[in-house]
């Protein structure tokens, strides 16, 4: 693979030799019994062919590049988000999807505005701060108040209102790096629930140590929540370097006085869209293999890792199947979900709008953890038939992707589907450095490694091929369906 492909126009396929492109698929008889039938051999031939072609294609990277360069930041309901929807429709059409359509999603738009923070006492100096998504503004002159620091939300919950009243609460929990990002779920409640918990005790504002694993001066944004009946207070995140600095000012009984000024605002209801592209199945058009990413992003970076990568990987994987194998037997549907960042809003809309046809989804998956290499496939399949796809698992194992558990909920947007009877997969990626960049101005294209995102594309394309070309059906047995 080389980067000269990028200069040759959008579609990497235009310069690849794909002699086998087009209608090479001949419908095969359904498999019988457990022996390997010619039809199964044919499916695995397709899988290997797609794998080989994908390894030579930069398409996933090319798509992320196009999205980040031509659209950039795309907070739900913003002008960037609206341009992303147009971009996505055009891209899916350009790639030759049979059907491209969109699904309206009502979203609450929010504008970040200006934010700064200054230590007034004991050692006056500025701190790097960013508003958390959904936060209200401070008064125009800011909020000046003593800071009270807590190690965790739990420690805050044990404090008395006397300690907190009128003060700025600083939630200072460190997050460790981990390949699967397992510490994120432990620290992210500071961001999501910090304002409510601090406000219940009378705080005037809350700031958190960024939910991240870097040591840069970029603060990490992300969604936060208010609760009915609890006074709304402004909420921001300071960078990890600044959190270290602020923490070091707390010695003995020193009073730490801070001024924060954030002018974020609610910008009202807007319409966004799930953008959907399909390659229609020849034999079983109603049976759907669903691969996805989310189109929206936070606004400070260009949303390359989160989730331009997923958009690129899912779209490229589906496109490769069509280009290499021809028209699939089952329908392949790419869903680029709206408004994942503010609470899976697009996914919830998708489930509502498609409630009668969810039973036709053979498998759903979302790529939303950056572009690190995949090392494991977790599933939520009908246990009784899971091993019927053993040839696929064996092929994936050859490239370092091992079969994991059968209890996953899939990626964020598809996580609401298993309880509705939809089989899901989660392809676990090496996310050791994902939270260095997540939701920061530093989430940009240069953080994506071409070989790594191509590995993702190949693994998704292999699985999509298998699911779209075989009779493997991991849906719950009828009596077990909800
Ligand atoms: Zn995401
Ligand atoms: Zn995100």
């Amino acid at each position: 693979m080389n980067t000269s492909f990028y200069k040759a126009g959008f579609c990497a396929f235009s310069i690849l030799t794909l002699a086998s492109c087009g209608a090479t698929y001949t419908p095969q008889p359904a498999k019988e019994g457990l022996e390997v039938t010619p039809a199964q051999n044919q499916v695995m031939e397709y899988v290997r062919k797609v794998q080989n072609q994908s390894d030579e294609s930069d398409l996933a990277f090319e798509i992320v590049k196009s999205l980040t360069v031509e659209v950039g930041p795309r907070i739900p309901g913003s002008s960037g988000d609206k341009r992303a929807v147009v971009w996505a429709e055009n891209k899916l059409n350009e790639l030759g999807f049979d059907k491209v359509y969109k699904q309206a999603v009502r979203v609450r738009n929010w504008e970040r505005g200006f934010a700064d923070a200054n230590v007034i006492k004991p050692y006056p100096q500025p701190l790097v701060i960013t508003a958390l998504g959904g936060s209200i503004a401070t008064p125009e002159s800011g909020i000046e108040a003593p800071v009270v620091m807590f190690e965790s939300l739990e420690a805050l919950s044990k404090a008395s209102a006397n300690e907190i009243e009128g003060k700025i609460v600083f939630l200072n929990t460190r997050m460790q790096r981990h390949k699967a990002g397992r510490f994120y779920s432990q620290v992210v409640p500071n961001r999501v629930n910090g304002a409510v918990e601090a406000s219940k005790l009378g705080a005037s504002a809350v700031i958190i140590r960024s939910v991240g694993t870097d040591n840069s001066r970029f603060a990490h944004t992300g969604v936060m929540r208010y609760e009915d009946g609890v006074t709304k207070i402004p909420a921001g995140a300071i960078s990890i370097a600044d959190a270290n600095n602020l923490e070091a000012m707390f010695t003995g009984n020193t009073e730490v006085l801070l001024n924060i000024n954030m002018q974020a605002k609610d910008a009202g209801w807007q319409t966004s869209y799930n953008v959907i592209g399909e390659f229609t199945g020849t034999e079983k058009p109603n049976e759907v293999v669903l691969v996805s990413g989310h189109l929206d992003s936070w606004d400070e970076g260009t949303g390359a890792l989160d989730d331009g990568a997923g958009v690129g990987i899912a779209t490229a994987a589906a496109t490769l199947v069509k280009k290499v194998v021809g028209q699939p037997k089952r329908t392949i549907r790419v869903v680029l979900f709206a408004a994942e960042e503010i609470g899976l809003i697009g996914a919830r809309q998708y489930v509502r709008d498609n409630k009668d046809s969810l039973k036709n989804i053979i498998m759903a998956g979302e790529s939303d953890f950056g572009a690190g290499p995949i090392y494991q496939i977790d599933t939520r399949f009908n246990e009784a038939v899971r091993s019927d796809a053993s040839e696929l698992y064996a092929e994936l194992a050859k490239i370092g992707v091992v079969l994991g558990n059968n209890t996953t909920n899939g990626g964020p947007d598809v996580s609401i589907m298993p309880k509705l009877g939809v089989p899901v997969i989660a392809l676990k990626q090496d996310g050791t450095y994902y939270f260095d960049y997540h939701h920061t101005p530093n989430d940009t294209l240069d953080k994506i490694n071409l070989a790594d995102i191509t590995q993702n594309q190949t693994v998704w394309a292999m699985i999509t091929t298998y699911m779209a070309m075989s009779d493997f059906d991991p849906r719950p047995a009828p009596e077990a369906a909800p």
Side-chain angles (χ1 to χ4, degrees):
M1 286 164 293
N2 67 69
T3 50
S4 66
F5 279 12
Y6 312 148
K7 298 182 188 75
F10 169 72
C11 183
F13 294 115
S14 59
I15 52 163
L16 287 177
T17 309
L18 291 175
S20 58
C21 271
T24 56
Y25 176 68
T26 314
Q28 300 291 325
K31 75 168 185 182
E32 285 170 3
L34 289 173
E35 75 276 22
V36 176
T37 64
Q40 280 171 279
N41 283 333
Q42 176 73 78
V43 170
M44 291 313 297
E45 250 174 64
Y46 289 140
V47 169
R48 284 185 280 269
K49 204 165 173 180
V50 167
Q51 176 186 1
N52 291 336
Q53 299 283 3
S54 173
D55 283 347
E56 298 303 319
S57 165
D58 297 347
L59 185 57
F61 186 94
E62 198 69 27
I63 293 169
V64 190
K65 185 182 181 191
S66 172
L67 176 59
T68 54
V69 171
E70 296 161 32
V71 178
R74 43 199 187 278
I75 202 166
S78 65
S79 61
D81 186 44
K82 292 180 200 305
R83 283 186 288 114
V85 168
V86 174
W87 171 91
E89 287 184 281
N90 290 342
K91 193 60 69 184
L92 294 170
N93 278 316
E94 197 181 308
L95 288 167
F97 280 76
D98 300 328
K99 259 203 253 174
V100 177
Y101 56 102
K102 57 189 185 177
Q103 202 168 45
V105 180
R106 294 289 279 165
V107 298
R108 197 80 193 177
N109 184 220
W110 173 85
E111 287 173 12
R112 172 170 307 286
F114 156 91
D116 82 2
N118 286 284
V119 179
I120 309 298
K121 276 202 301 203
Y123 309 116
Q125 56 182 294
L127 301 179
V128 173
I129 190 169
T130 193
L132 296 180
S135 174
I136 60 165
T138 62
E140 252 173 62
S141 56
I143 290 173
E144 190 166 308
V147 180
V148 50
M149 177 171 71
F150 293 94
E151 289 286 309
S152 64
L153 262 186
E154 200 198 344
L156 170 65
S157 71
K158 289 177 184 150
S160 70
N162 288 344
E163 288 174 75
I164 310 289
E165 190 77 47
K167 294 182 179 162
I168 296 170
V169 163
F170 171 33
L171 290 170
N172 185 33
T173 315
R174 285 175 161 73
M175 179 176 161
Q176 309 299 317
R177 282 207 180 98
H178 182 265
K179 190 177 183 181
R182 62 181 289 238
F183 297 108
Y184 181 67
S185 61
Q186 293 173 18
V187 181
V188 81
N190 284 6
R191 190 188 80 208
V192 178
N193 305 322
V196 167
E197 297 311 315
S199 177
K200 282 178 184 167
L201 295 167
S204 58
V206 64
I207 58 173
I208 62 167
R209 172 185 283 265
S210 280
V211 178
T213 50
D214 56 297
N215 58 355
S216 80
R217 288 198 87 178
F218 291 116
H220 297 237
T221 191
V223 78
M224 55 79 61
R225 303 245 175 272
Y226 293 117
E227 204 173 280
D228 286 345
V230 180
T231 307
K232 294 180 179 182
I233 58 172
I238 58 174
S239 82
I240 285 154
D242 287 275
N244 292 342
N245 194 9
L246 186 62
E247 178 189 69
M249 293 182 193
F250 286 85
T251 50
N253 289 325
T254 316
E255 183 184 61
V256 177
L257 193 64
L258 192 67
N259 181 289
I260 62 174
N261 190 332
M262 298 190 296
Q263 296 304 320
K265 68 170 193 211
D266 180 301
W269 289 102
Q270 294 286 336
T271 302
S272 186
Y273 296 90
N274 293 326
V275 182
I276 300 166
E278 292 184 2
F279 292 114
T280 310
T282 51
E283 275 189 34
K284 296 177 177 173
N286 293 331
E287 293 189 1
V288 173
V289 179
L290 189 158
V291 292
S292 65
H294 67 83
L295 191 55
D296 65 310
S297 76
W298 284 107
D299 53 327
E300 300 218 86
T302 58
L305 291 166
D306 186 14
D307 183 27
V311 168
I313 291 162
T315 306
T319 307
L320 273 153
V321 179
K322 169 64 192 285
K323 294 283 182 184
V324 178
V325 175
Q327 202 68 20
K329 184 166 137 181
R330 286 167 168 157
T331 293
I332 300 174
R333 179 177 297 160
V334 174
V335 183
L336 307 179
F337 287 107
E340 185 275 346
E341 293 290 3
I342 56 173
L344 317 183
I345 308 298
R348 294 182 206 282
Q349 188 69 45
Y350 182 90
V351 164
R352 274 196 297 275
D353 288 2
N354 295 280
K355 63 177 188 302
D356 296 330
S357 59
L358 292 176
K359 61 181 183 301
N360 297 332
I361 300 176
I362 297 295
M363 181 205 87
E366 181 175 45
S367 172
D368 184 21
F369 199 54
I374 296 168
Y375 60 90
Q376 185 169 310
I377 171 174
D378 290 344
T379 63
R380 176 79 73 96
F381 286 172
N382 177 356
E383 188 69 54
V385 302
R386 189 185 192 224
S387 62
D388 290 0
S390 57
E391 284 181 291
L392 172 67
Y393 309 142
E395 206 60 37
L396 293 171
K398 286 183 197 165
I399 55 170
V401 179
V402 301
L403 183 62
N405 67 54
N406 195 29
T407 55
T408 185
N409 281 322
D413 285 305
V414 304
S415 67
I416 56 180
M417 297 184 187
K419 65 176 186 294
L420 301 168
V422 176
V424 297
I425 58 166
L427 300 183
K428 292 180 95 170
Q429 296 164 279
D430 185 336
T432 307
Y433 300 103
Y434 182 63
F435 290 108
D436 284 15
Y437 308 117
H438 183 247
H439 297 179
T440 71
N442 223 357
D443 178 3
T444 49
L445 185 68
D446 48 287
K447 309 308 181 303
I448 295 181
N449 176 288
L450 176 59
D452 288 348
I453 195 171
T454 304
Q455 187 261 11
N456 276 264
Q457 165 188 283
T458 297
V459 174
W460 279 96
M462 289 168 73
I463 295 167
T464 304
T465 303
Y466 187 87
M467 299 305 298
M469 302 306 283
S470 73
D471 295 312
F472 176 61
D473 187 346
R475 288 178 292 183
E479 66 275 14

